[in-house]
Each structure stands twice: as structure tokens, then as C-alpha cells.
Amino acid sequence: MFFAKRNQNQYIPLHIHQCYELVYYFGTGETRIGSTKYFFKPNTFALISPHVEHDESQDSEADVLYIGFYCANEGIEGLNGIFEDDHNQTIYHQILRMKHEFLHQQNLFSEMLDLLVGELSIHLQRLIGKKNVQKPLEDRMHYALRYMDENFHQKITIESLAKIAGYSYDRFRHLFKEKHGVAPLQYLYTKRIEYAKTSLLKDRKMLISEIAQNSGFVNDAQFCSMFKRSTSLTPKQYREQTIGSN
């Protein structure tokens, strides 16, 4: 939970979180959540799902209150956007209750915060309901693709990508191949091999095992096997033929 003052024309660059984020606004400005641009005003709030890219730009100096939280309530999944609090300011007062508990940290405050987060998710579900439908396929798959492009050299599971896109494992694999022409795992392998070819192999001081690890492969055996399947050369042969021995 954070309390901050934004400066006039302050810009918060695009970023993602591993958890839900709720930002309560007291000023005006605009934000991009996923691929959609929204405008906010006092007593509106942004709800952002895990792994969804977003930024923020303030028109004038103003306070913001934002919290990150994990929640198992499926009713708020995919409810990304800017929403207006009701006339009783239910969301705002719920956040104030959480703020009080967070600041004073009385006995069992962590358990109380968990309860308040559960209440918050119910209030959000009641307020938003079905006003914000799920993003179209194009946008939802874009989140996963963007994540793969930026993190291909890290350990990535298809299960985690499916969760980012909001699909089951099998449905995600089917839709990804339908849209991009290759399976998601093959897309990752291609990105990793290209990265090794165009960047890491140029450094002759790097061992093949280091290149394999830094490219995102499990080990050098997998790297060499996938590399040869793609280029008909081993990484060592490719380095010698394209870069030379100097």
C-alpha cells in the first residue's frame, strides 16, 4: 500500500506487476492499461490485473493512493480499466479502512488485511459487474506475446503465459498457433536462437554453456540440439563460419 503525491505533468512509464493493482485518483490525467487509453478524474480508480502493462500521466499536482494485492476471487479477473466510485464512495472508504489497519498494525493486522482485501474484491465485483467485458482476443494474446518478447531469455512456462492471456493451457496453445503460425514453445526457441546468433556468439570469450544459459535454454545440450536443428550448424561451427577465428 502506497500514498504518493504526483507532480504536474509527471509521467509513470509503462510497467507491469505480478499482482492486482488498484489506483485511486484525486486529480485528472490519463493512463494506458493494456492497449486502451483511459482518462481519470477525482473519485475514479484504475483496476489492473497481474501482468497487464500500464502507465500514468497526471495533468496537475494531485494525491494518489494505490495498493497491490493478490486475490483468488475469479469475479474480478480481466476487469481492467478506469471506473467511477459510487455515490457512497464505497471503494474509497474500504481503502481507508485498509490504510488504517496498515498504518497502526494492531494485533493480527495481517489477517485483518486479508479479510479487507476479500471485502474489497466483492465491492469491486458489485460495482463493476459486467460493465467491463473481457478484452478481445487480439489484446489478450498481445499481453502474452509482449511478455515473451521481453523475457524470452528467462524461464517461462506455457502455463504462466496462458494465465497472462486468461486462457486454459490447451486453449492458449491452440489460439497462439492459430494466430502466429507456430507453437508458443517454438516461438520462444526461435527468439532464443536468434538472440544467441546475433548477440552472444559474437563474444568469443563466452563459453557455449554460458551462451545457452543466458539465452534461456535448460542446458548446453538442449541449446546445441535446437541450434543445429535451426541452422544445420552447431553453435561452434556457426561462430567459426560467420565470425571467424579472430
Side-chain angles (χ1 to χ4, degrees):
M1 181 173 288
F2 301 93
F3 321 98
K5 183 176 289 293
R6 298 284 196 250
N7 298 320
Q8 184 176 8
N9 299 322
Q10 182 175 354
Y11 176 67
I12 307 299
L14 287 167
H15 59 286
I16 62 173
H17 301 288
Q18 303 299 314
C19 60
Y20 285 95
E21 184 181 35
L22 191 152
V23 186
Y24 203 97
Y25 294 108
F26 301 94
T28 59
E30 65 181 51
T31 177
R32 196 183 83 179
I33 302 174
S35 60
T36 305
K37 182 181 289 188
Y38 300 89
F39 294 91
F40 56 81
K41 60 182 181 179
N43 299 321
T44 61
F45 61 91
L47 180 61
I48 305 150
S49 296
H51 307 294
V52 174
E53 208 173 37
H54 57 285
D55 66 2
E56 178 187 296
S57 179
Q58 288 277 348
D59 290 338
S60 59
E61 184 176 296
D63 293 327
V64 294
L65 171 60
Y66 53 104
I67 61 173
F69 61 97
Y70 294 94
C71 181
N73 186 346
E74 296 181 355
I76 66 171
E77 286 185 5
L79 297 180
N80 297 292
I82 293 290
F83 306 96
E84 189 165 2
D85 208 349
D86 60 24
H87 66 281
N88 293 321
Q89 294 186 301
T90 300
I91 302 301
Y92 175 63
H93 290 299
Q94 182 70 12
I95 295 174
L96 288 184
R97 291 176 64 197
M98 298 172 70
K99 174 183 175 182
H100 180 273
E101 198 67 35
F102 184 82
L103 291 178
H104 290 81
Q105 298 193 7
Q106 300 179 57
N107 185 37
L108 300 176
F109 87 96
S110 181
E111 288 79 358
M112 180 60 73
L113 278 173
D114 286 342
L115 288 174
L116 292 175
V117 166
E119 286 186 23
L120 176 64
S121 70
I122 293 173
H123 287 311
L124 289 170
Q125 194 174 356
R126 285 178 171 178
L127 178 65
I128 299 171
K130 297 183 178 180
K131 294 178 183 177
N132 189 30
V133 298
Q134 284 187 325
K135 296 295 182 186
L137 169 64
E138 184 75 20
D139 291 342
R140 294 165 67 190
M141 295 300 287
H142 170 75
Y143 300 149
L145 184 67
R146 184 71 178 268
Y147 186 81
M148 294 166 78
D149 288 342
E150 294 180 353
N151 300 279
F152 63 87
H153 52 284
Q154 304 291 335
K155 182 180 179 181
I156 300 177
T157 65
I158 305 306
E159 288 84 357
S160 65
L161 293 171
K163 188 173 182 180
I164 290 172
Y167 292 106
S168 68
Y169 174 86
D170 290 332
R171 183 62 174 162
F172 173 76
R173 290 178 69 250
H174 172 76
L175 291 174
F176 190 94
K177 188 170 185 179
E178 184 179 77
K179 181 173 177 58
H180 301 289
V182 294
L185 197 57
Q186 186 60 46
Y187 182 86
L188 284 173
Y189 287 150
T190 300
K191 294 284 293 186
R192 290 166 177 169
I193 290 171
E194 192 63 24
Y195 178 57
K197 286 168 57 180
T198 60
S199 181
L200 301 184
L201 280 167
K202 292 181 179 180
D203 183 356
R204 297 193 62 83
K205 295 180 180 180
M206 286 191 72
L207 300 175
I208 297 301
S209 58
E210 292 178 313
I211 294 174
Q213 182 179 2
N214 292 339
S215 299
F217 289 94
V218 175
N219 50 46
D220 53 346
Q222 184 194 49
F223 171 53
C224 292
S225 175
M226 298 300 299
F227 193 95
K228 188 171 184 179
R229 185 182 302 177
S230 175
T231 66
S232 300
L233 299 171
T234 66
K236 183 177 179 181
Q237 290 170 336
Y238 180 87
R239 173 184 267 171
E240 292 174 348
Q241 290 190 19
T242 60
I243 302 172
S245 58
N246 295 327

